[in-house]
Amino acid sequence: AQKITQTQPGMFVQEKEAVTLDCTYDTSDPSYGLFWYKQPSSGEMIFLIYQGSYDQQNATEGRYSLNFQKARKSANLVISASQLGDSAMYFCAMREVDPGNQFYFGTGTSLTVIP
Amino acid sequence: DAGVTQSPTHLIKTRGQHVTLRCSPISGHKSVSWYQQVLGQGPQFIFQYYEKEERGRGNFPDRFSARQFPNYSSELNVNALLLGDSALYLCASSLPQGVEEKLFFGSGTQLSVL
């Protein structure tokens, strides 16, 4: 089974609007971390936001927020007030401590912000 | 402060050859991880090293090997290159923090195998 599933290969959003990028995960480990990364065309993966499995509150970082629904195993990224510079690939990822301290990435969502 | 640096940025090799990719972590970071990203896919975990010891290994053949040096820089070696090894190779450094451990990535090495 896939550890991280991103079902939206591509998304479009109007500039200044909000957009939600979907992510579901699969783990039996009670302790895990969820991450979102942005990858512009330059290739570098840029950390956006983190949510721990035991965190009670949804994480927020500026215009980014993570809608964490533990029972549904979903960790959707919400970008508010979209900007042209937000156009990029977005990857959801999960870290499990056991086994092997691995970091799993989804297949990504390509976001295009329309002026 | 300098981020994660990788060299070279681009590389072209032919099948059967060997390649070495290099990575320097963020100052103070003792852990380095390597990922392979094939076009259109998410990064796949290859190796993680911490304090010069292998801490994790992904599902890659023995043609892939890595090491970490006393200054925490790292090399990824790939022997007997195949066409399917063509990918963006990403290096990331981190501070051990359990599940909160965030990866900080370099810009990658784009490897093309002809």
Side-chain angles (χ1 to χ4, degrees), chain A:
Chain A
Q2 292 288 332
K3 287 285 187 179
I4 296 286
T5 301
Q6 295 180 255
T7 57
Q8 305 156 314
M11 291 281 286
F12 293 86
V13 63
Q14 205 75 36
E15 193 177 6
K16 300 179 185 175
E17 297 292 312
V19 63
T20 298
L21 306 184
D22 294 342
C23 172
T24 57
Y25 60 91
D26 180 33
T27 181
S28 56
D29 197 332
S31 179
Y32 51 90
L34 297 161
F35 303 77
W36 277 91
Y37 281 83
K38 172 184 178 181
Q39 188 177 41
S41 55
S42 61
E44 183 177 352
M45 300 280 281
I46 301 167
F47 166 76
L48 296 177
I49 196 166
Y50 163 80
Q51 179 86 42
S53 59
Y54 293 119
D55 293 342
Q56 297 296 315
Q57 305 261 16
N58 285 341
T60 60
E61 291 281 352
R63 294 187 298 111
Y64 304 108
S65 60
L66 200 152
N67 184 1
F68 181 45
Q69 298 187 44
K70 195 170 183 177
R72 297 180 60 186
K73 293 189 174 179
S74 75
N76 298 339
L77 176 70
V78 180
I79 305 174
S80 62
S82 296
Q83 301 171 356
L84 295 178
D86 293 336
S87 294
M89 285 292 293
Y90 288 81
F91 291 94
C92 179
M94 176 176 67
R95 178 184 291 285
E96 295 177 320
V97 176
D98 293 317
N101 196 41
Q102 282 210 29
F103 210 87
Y104 301 94
F105 284 88
T107 52
T109 295
S110 176
L111 178 66
T112 302
V113 180
I114 304 166

